[in-house]
């Protein structure tokens, strides 16, 4: 995994924080200086934290677990959807549904309802409904798709959350904390980095800055997925080789047994033939002695 490029972050405006009066004191370790009333983020600290987060997320992806991305702010929606969708990772870019994590079973029921409506469209149920009823069901399906379509494949609680702007997504962060789900997040100078396990100090308001951070993260996840695929393929090949060796060994053993069996038969026949000759000679000798 390549180290993050300093100049790329600089050119994307990742170092621009908020006005000094809006800062969170816990961000002090990540602030380089103040310029024209605006805090400037230390990009060296950003690189260190970004690489740390990318490495951890790569391992999570490699283990086959899901990472949920949360970005409902306008500047981040399209970026996250474009970069995360190809990975088949779940994401929320519309309103965060309360209880998404803490009441996961209810969310799953809503997702299953989408599937049920899809079946209605193919099994002939729609044909027996009035035009008004079909329209109502179709609208409900569209609403569910908008809210939950991007998490339809999330069958269990995610292994981690990646959040853009923890101040805006405070409900998601709180739910993750309640369930001890590790949270990775882009944290600007107006937010408290101690609320998440893996804060990445960076500008969370500019699309370009968000893009360069999320791109680094998704590339790391992609590496993890590819390594997982390679290792599973390698394991399958090794298993196949072991099965082949086992089969060949059994066949060899069967051949040896067959050969041994044939040798035993021949030896038995020779033994019987020898015993027969001895018996004949004995009989002849006895006959001669009687005469």
């Amino acid at each position: 995994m390549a180290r993050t490029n300093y100049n790329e972050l600089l050119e994307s405006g990742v170092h621009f924080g908020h006005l000094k009066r809006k800062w969170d004191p816990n961000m002090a370790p990540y602030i380089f200086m103040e310029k024209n009333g605006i805090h400037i983020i230390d990009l060296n600290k950003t690189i260190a934290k970004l690489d740390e987060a990318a490495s951890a997320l790569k391992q999570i992806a490699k283990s086959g677990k899901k990472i949920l991305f949360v970005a409902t702010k306008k500047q981040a929606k399209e970026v996250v959807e474009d970069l995360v969708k190809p990975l088949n990772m779940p994401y929320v870019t519309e309103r965060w549904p309360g209880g998404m994590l803490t009441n996961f079973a209810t969310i799953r029921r809503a997702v299953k309802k989408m599937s049920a409506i899809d079946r209605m469209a193919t099994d002939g149920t729609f044909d027996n409904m009035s035009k008004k009823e079909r329209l109502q069901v179709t609208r409900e399906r569209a609403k569910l798709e908008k809210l939950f379509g991007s998490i339809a494949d999330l069958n269990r609680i995610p292994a981690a959350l990646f959040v853009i702007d923890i101040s805006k997504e405070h409900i998601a962060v709180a739910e993750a904390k309640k369930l001890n789900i590790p949270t990775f997040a882009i944290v600007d100078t107006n937010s408290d980095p101690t609320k998440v396990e893996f804060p990445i100090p960076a500008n969370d308001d500019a699309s370009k800055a968000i893009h360069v951070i999320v791109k680094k993260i998704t590339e790391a996840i992609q590496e993890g997925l590819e390594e997982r695929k390679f290792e599973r393929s390698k394991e399958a090949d090794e298993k196949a080789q072991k099965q082949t060796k086992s089969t060949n060994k059994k066949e060899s053993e069967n051949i040896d047994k067959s050969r041994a069996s044939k040798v035993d038969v021949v030896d038995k026949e020779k033994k019987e033939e020898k015993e027969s000759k001895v018996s004949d000679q004995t009989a002849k000798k006895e006959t001669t002695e009687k005469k």
Side-chain angles (χ1 to χ4, degrees), residues 33 37 41 52 61 69 77 84 95 125 127 136 138 147 150 152 156-157 159 185 191 202 216 233 251 253 260:
M33 63 178 289
I41 297 168
E52 180 187 353
F69 285 75
K77 283 184 180 183
V84 176
R95 178 182 60 85
T125 305
D127 297 335
Q136 288 176 338
T138 302
L147 286 173
S150 58
R156 62 183 65 182
I157 297 293
S191 300
K216 171 70 177 180
S233 176
E251 288 178 352
E253 288 174 351

Side-chain angles (χ1 to χ4, degrees), residues 3 7 29 38 45 53 92 96 99 113 115 136 146 161 193 195 204 223 231 244 246:
R3 183 173 168 79
N7 289 330
I38 296 174
K45 299 284 182 67
V92 175
W96 174 265
K113 193 171 185 179
S115 300
Q136 288 176 338
K146 187 177 182 180
L161 245 67
K195 289 184 177 180
D204 65 9
E223 283 183 26
E231 287 184 1
T244 301
S246 177

Side-chain angles (χ1 to χ4, degrees), residues 8-25:
E8 187 179 8
L9 297 184
L10 188 66
E11 290 169 6
S12 301
V14 172
H15 58 299
F16 291 122
H18 281 264
L19 292 171
K20 181 182 176 182
R21 57 186 173 83
K22 290 184 178 181
W23 84 310
D24 187 295

Side-chain angles (χ1 to χ4, degrees), residues 2 8 61 68 93 102 121 169 181 196 199 218 225 230 240:
E8 187 179 8
L68 176 61
T93 54
T102 53
E169 314 298 351
I181 299 172
V196 295
T218 52
L225 293 172
F230 174 77

Side-chain angles (χ1 to χ4, degrees), residues 198-249:
F198 292 87
I200 303 169
N203 180 354
D204 65 9
D205 293 308
S207 295
K208 198 173 180 182
I210 294 169
H211 184 277
V212 73
I213 298 291
V214 177
K215 188 172 182 289
K216 171 70 177 180
I217 293 297
T218 52
E219 284 175 350
I221 291 173
Q222 183 62 44
E223 283 183 26
L225 293 172
E226 287 174 358
E227 286 184 13
R228 174 178 171 78
K229 185 178 179 181
F230 174 77
E231 287 184 1
R232 294 184 75 178
S233 176
K234 187 178 178 181
E235 287 174 3
D237 289 343
E238 289 175 351
K239 188 176 180 181
Q241 287 176 4
K242 285 181 180 179
Q243 288 178 340
T244 301
K245 285 181 180 179
S246 177
T247 302
N248 291 340
K249 186 178 179 181

Side-chain angles (χ1 to χ4, degrees), residues 99 101-103 157 161 170-183 195 197:
L101 299 176
T102 53
N103 196 12
I157 297 293
L161 245 67
H170 63 93
I171 297 175
V173 173
E175 288 190 30
K177 188 172 184 179
K178 190 173 183 179
L179 297 176
N180 294 318
I181 299 172
T183 305
K195 289 184 177 180
E197 287 76 12

Side-chain angles (χ1 to χ4, degrees), residues 55-67 159-160 182 184:
S55 180
L57 288 169
K58 176 183 174 179
Q59 292 306 313
I60 292 174
K62 189 176 178 179
S63 70
K65 296 174 182 177
K66 293 289 186 181
I67 300 157
F184 299 74

